[in-house]
Amino acid sequence: MRIDQLITPQHRIVFLVALFLMATGNFSFFQELLRTYPIAEGNLLFVCSVGAFFTFATALFLNLLCYGRFTPWVLALFVLVSSQLAYFMDKYGAVIDNDMIDNLLQTNVHEATELFSLSLAWRTLIFGLIPAFLILKFRQKTLGVKTELISKGFVGGMLLILMVACVAPLTASYITFVREHKSVRFYSNPIYFSYSVGLNISKQFGHPKSNVLVVTAGDARHIGQDGKNQLLILVIGETARSDHFSLNGYNRETNPELKKQEVISMKNVTSCGTSTAVSVPCMFSALTRKGFNAKKSLHYENALDVLQRLNVEVLWRDNNSDSKGVSARVPYENFKNPKLNPACDEECRDVGMLSGLSGHIDAHKGKDILIVLHQMGNHGPAYYKRYPPSFKRFTPVCETNELSNCTTEQVINAYDNAILYTDYFLAQTIEFLKQYDGKFKTGMLYVSDHGESLGEYGIFLHGAPFAIAPKAQVDVPAVIWMGKNFDYKLEDLRPYENYPLSHDDLFCTLLVAFEIDTKVCESKRAIFQHHVDLKMPAPGGVKEAQ
Ligand SMILES: [Zn+2]
C-alpha cells in the first residue's frame, strides 16, 4: 500500500474537521494562551507549537472515535456541539468542566431559553449546522474494515509522532504550561469538554457514590475540664521552605515581624507530599504519609470532621485554590473573592482572611473554635505577585513567571519578599488573637504545605516524586504561638524545636490542642504534649527521625 493510500478519504475528512474546530471553536483558548504567553515577549514559536499540538491532538481524538460509516455522524455531532460550546466560552468566559456539565444537566427550559440569542443562532448556523450538513452530504465511501483499521493505525501513529515533534524542542515551556497554566487547556474545544463529559459519566456510574464516611477516632471524647474554650487559628502555608525563614537561621531577615512575637519555630518539620493536592488532605488525615492516598482519604473522616463531631466550631477560609476536599463537611469561605476579602488589589491578599473573624468568634461564644486559613503564600512561579509593593524589599526582583529568564538572585529576591509578606500576615494573625487572650485559650499554628526548589540543581517549583524530592521541597516551616491561657507553654516546646516532626503529627496535635482523647493518638505524636507522659523522648534521647 502506498503512503497516500494509507490515508483514507475518511481520515482526510477527520483531519479537516480537526482543523476547522481549531480555527472556529477555539477563540477563547487562543485568547488565554496569548494572555499567558504574549507574542511580544518572544513566545511566537511556543504559541504556534501549542496550536499545532492541539490540532493534532484533536485529530487523534476524533480518529479514535470515528469508525466506518458512523464517521460523518460523529464529526457532524462534534461540529454542532463545538459551535455551541465556543459561543458560551467566548461570550461568557465559561469553562465547560465537570461542574458545568452538572449545571447544564440541571438547567431547565426557562433557563435555557434565557441563554438563547440571535448571535447564538447565527453562530450555530454558520459554524455548526452548515458544516455538519456538508459533512453528511459529501460523506465518503468506507473501504472495508481491514483498510480502515490499517489506515487508522497509520494516521494515529503519524499524529502521535507530530505531537511529540511539537513538544520535544520546547519541553521546558510545555512543563510550565502543563503545571502552572492548567486553566488555558480548560478552553481547548472540544477536547476539554469531551474529557469533562467522560469524567462526569465515570463519576455517575464509575464507582458507586458512597456517601458512607469511614469514622476516624470513633472513641474520641473531650476531656477538658476548666471553663475556658479554645480559640485556635491554623494557618496552612503555601510553598514556603523552612530554610528561607530567618527564624530557622536564614542569613537574611525574612521574619522581622514574627521575631517581635513570642513564638517558637519548629526547625525540623517535613511535609507529607510535594504538592498542595497531596499535602493538604494528608496533613489532616489520620492515614499518615505512608498510608495516604488522596482518593481514599476523601472517604475517611479527617481531623476537622472529628473536631466538628466533638462540637468544635470549625471554619475554613481559603485564599488558595480550595481545600482539596478537606473542608467538605465544614463551613467554607472563599477569600479569593473580593466580595468577602477586603484586601484585594492585583490579587486578594492573605491578610484579608482576618476580616470579619471577630463576628464569627462572637457568634460562637461558649464553644471551642478552630479557624483554618489557607494561604496563597509563596505560590509560584509568579512570586512577585504574592505581595503588595511595600514588601518589595529585596531587589532586583524577577518580575515574570518565566523563571528561566531571570537570574537566581532575582528569583530568590521575589520569593523572599513573599516570605516577608507571610511573616507579616502571621504576626497580624497573632495580634488578632491577642485580643481574645483573656476569654479563650488562644493559639496559632502555622505550617507550610510543601517547600520549593529555587533553581538548585536546575530544578524549579515543586511536585517532585516524594522519594526523590530535594530537601527544599519537603522541609517546611512551622511556627507556634500560644496565648497565656493555653494548656501548654513555649518553654514546654523549646527543648523540641529541632525534633524531627512531620505533617503526620498534625492530626493528633489538633486533637490534643482541643483536649480530645482517643486511642488513635496513643500511637501517634502530638506537638502539644508534655514529654513526661508521651511518645516524645526527652531531649537528647532522639534516635530516629520518623
Ligand atoms: Zn502548595
Side-chain angles (χ1 to χ4, degrees):
M1 219 186 267
R2 291 205 324 271
I3 286 206
D4 61 331
Q5 286 175 322
L6 277 170
I7 306 174
T8 62
Q10 296 274 34
H11 287 106
R12 285 165 212 223
I13 301 277
V14 166
F15 191 76
L16 280 178
V17 169
L19 268 179
F20 177 81
L21 292 176
M22 280 312 285
T24 64
N26 282 278
F27 179 75
S28 292
F29 173 73
F30 283 109
Q31 196 180 33
E32 278 298 303
L33 185 63
L34 289 170
R35 200 175 58 77
T36 317
Y37 292 92
I39 297 287
E41 290 179 18
N43 293 309
L44 181 64
L45 184 67
F46 184 66
V47 168
C48 292
S49 169
V50 170
F53 178 87
F54 274 88
T55 307
F56 299 138
T58 305
L60 181 64
F61 172 68
L62 293 175
N63 179 47
L64 292 172
L65 284 185
C66 292
Y67 283 90
R69 57 199 164 87
F70 297 111
T71 299
W73 296 97
V74 172
L75 294 177
L77 180 70
F78 266 93
V79 165
L80 203 56
V81 170
S82 290
S83 70
Q84 313 270 297
L85 297 178
Y87 172 82
F88 287 107
M89 286 196 287
D90 298 350
K91 180 108 179 171
Y92 298 105
V95 168
I96 317 295
D97 62 1
N98 183 38
D99 292 340
M100 182 64 77
I101 290 168
D102 276 339
N103 290 339
L104 289 174
L105 292 174
Q106 287 159 23
T107 302
N108 61 33
V109 177
H110 175 70
E111 287 164 329
T113 47
E114 281 196 346
L115 290 172
F116 182 81
S117 70
L118 206 59
S119 54
L120 172 62
W122 275 114
R123 184 137 180 178
T124 307
L125 180 71
I126 295 168
F127 293 128
L129 284 170
I130 293 175
F133 171 77
L134 294 174
I135 290 168
L136 292 174
K137 178 152 173 71
F138 298 101
R139 64 190 124 169
Q140 304 294 319
K141 258 206 300 199
T142 49
L143 299 174
V145 177
K146 196 178 160 198
T147 319
E148 277 289 321
L149 285 179
I150 291 172
S151 177
K152 189 178 284 298
F154 176 76
V155 172
M158 288 299 293
L159 289 168
L160 271 177
I161 291 168
L162 288 169
M163 285 161 71
V164 171
C166 287
V167 175
L170 299 163
T171 315
S173 301
Y174 271 93
I175 288 173
T176 318
F177 178 68
V178 171
R179 293 260 320 267
E180 302 304 327
H181 305 302
K182 283 195 182 92
S183 57
V184 178
R185 63 178 185 269
F186 295 167
Y187 293 91
S188 92
N189 178 16
I191 290 189
Y192 191 73
F193 163 76
S194 309
Y195 162 79
S196 301
V197 169
L199 189 71
N200 197 280
I201 291 171
S202 80
K203 281 205 169 155
Q204 304 275 349
F205 304 103
H207 43 89
K209 245 190 194 164
S210 111
N211 290 324
V212 181
L213 198 63
V214 179
V215 172
T216 304
D219 66 329
R221 64 199 174 93
H222 193 251
I223 52 168
Q225 282 170 6
D226 50 359
K228 277 201 166 56
N229 291 109
Q230 274 88 4
L231 168 59
L232 212 71
I233 295 187
L234 170 63
V235 179
I236 306 297
E238 176 61 61
T239 316
R241 50 190 273 180
S242 181
D243 62 352
H244 279 240
F245 268 43
S246 51
L247 289 178
N248 297 340
Y250 189 39
N251 58 14
R252 193 175 228 190
E253 185 54 86
T254 49
N255 299 125
E257 298 303 320
L258 282 174
K259 196 171 72 174
K260 297 179 201 154
Q261 303 286 347
E262 282 272 302
V263 295
I264 184 163
S265 178
M266 306 308 271
K267 297 176 174 59
N268 197 359
V269 182
T270 51
S271 65
C272 176
T274 61
S275 69
T276 310
V278 174
S279 279
V280 171
C282 182
M283 69 172 87
F284 286 93
S285 159
L287 297 170
T288 74
R289 184 176 69 76
K290 284 178 184 153
F292 182 76
N293 165 309
K295 260 196 189 134
K296 179 176 158 191
S297 76
L298 294 176
H299 299 284
Y300 282 74
E301 280 189 340
N302 59 44
L304 302 187
D305 297 312
V306 177
L307 291 170
Q308 184 166 260
R309 168 150 53 80
L310 288 160
N311 216 22
V312 175
E313 186 63 35
V314 181
L315 171 67
W316 184 292
R317 287 188 161 188
D318 210 295
N319 195 36
N320 199 301
S321 48
D322 58 47
S323 77
K324 308 298 166 196
V326 176
S327 71
R329 293 160 294 275
V330 303
Y332 175 94
E333 292 175 350
N334 173 14
F335 271 73
K336 287 193 89 139
N337 184 343
K339 276 186 197 150
L340 277 183
N341 191 334
C344 299
D345 41 67
E346 204 185 338
E347 67 180 26
C348 289
R349 303 294 175 194
D350 290 332
V351 79
M353 289 193 283
L354 297 173
S355 155
L357 266 191
S358 299
H360 173 78
I361 293 165
D362 293 343
H364 297 98
K365 270 196 186 118
K367 280 188 87 176
D368 293 333
I369 298 173
L370 171 66
I371 297 157
V372 183
L373 305 179
H374 189 198
Q375 274 190 278
M376 190 59 172
N378 272 54
H379 198 287
Y383 310 120
Y384 70 101
K385 288 186 177 167
R386 298 291 103 82
Y387 49 87
S390 57
F391 287 82
K392 188 177 169 182
R393 292 180 209 160
F394 304 117
T395 53
V397 161
C398 177
E399 294 193 329
T400 163
N401 54 10
E402 295 295 320
L403 299 181
S404 49
N405 294 346
C406 294
T407 65
T408 306
E409 188 204 358
Q410 291 170 327
V411 172
I412 290 175
N413 285 341
Y415 182 85
D416 286 348
N417 287 333
I419 296 277
L420 278 174
Y421 186 68
T422 285
D423 171 70
Y424 163 78
F425 167 57
L426 294 177
Q428 288 293 304
T429 305
I430 293 169
E431 288 300 328
F432 171 82
L433 279 172
K434 280 181 182 169
Q435 54 182 313
Y436 294 96
D437 210 13
K439 296 184 196 123
F440 286 89
K441 298 176 184 179
T442 51
M444 183 208 70
L445 179 57
Y446 160 79
V447 65
S448 182
D449 63 345
H450 50 76
E452 183 87 323
S453 286
L454 292 169
E456 298 92 345
Y457 316 107
I459 302 172
F460 287 93
L461 306 174
H462 54 267
F466 193 87
I468 55 158
K471 268 174 79 67
Q473 295 190 24
V474 293
D475 286 359
V476 288
V479 177
I480 299 165
W481 174 86
M482 292 175 272
K484 62 175 189 273
N485 292 315
F486 200 73
D487 294 309
Y488 303 87
K489 302 290 164 220
L490 282 187
E491 295 70 55
D492 298 332
L493 298 182
R494 200 73 73 190
Y496 298 98
E497 58 187 2
N498 292 306
Y499 190 86
L501 294 161
S502 78
H503 279 166
D504 285 356
D505 305 319
L506 183 68
F507 183 90
C508 287
T509 294
L510 283 174
L511 265 53
V512 169
F514 283 95
E515 300 174 279
I516 286 165
D517 189 40
T518 162
K519 276 209 173 73
V520 171
C521 289
E522 283 176 9
S523 57
K524 286 178 184 289
R525 278 192 310 235
I527 294 174
F528 300 129
Q529 283 185 332
H530 201 279
H531 64 87
V532 177
D533 36 354
L534 337 160
K535 297 103 225 170
M536 277 198 186
V542 180
K543 283 199 183 115
E544 207 193 330
Q546 306 281 328

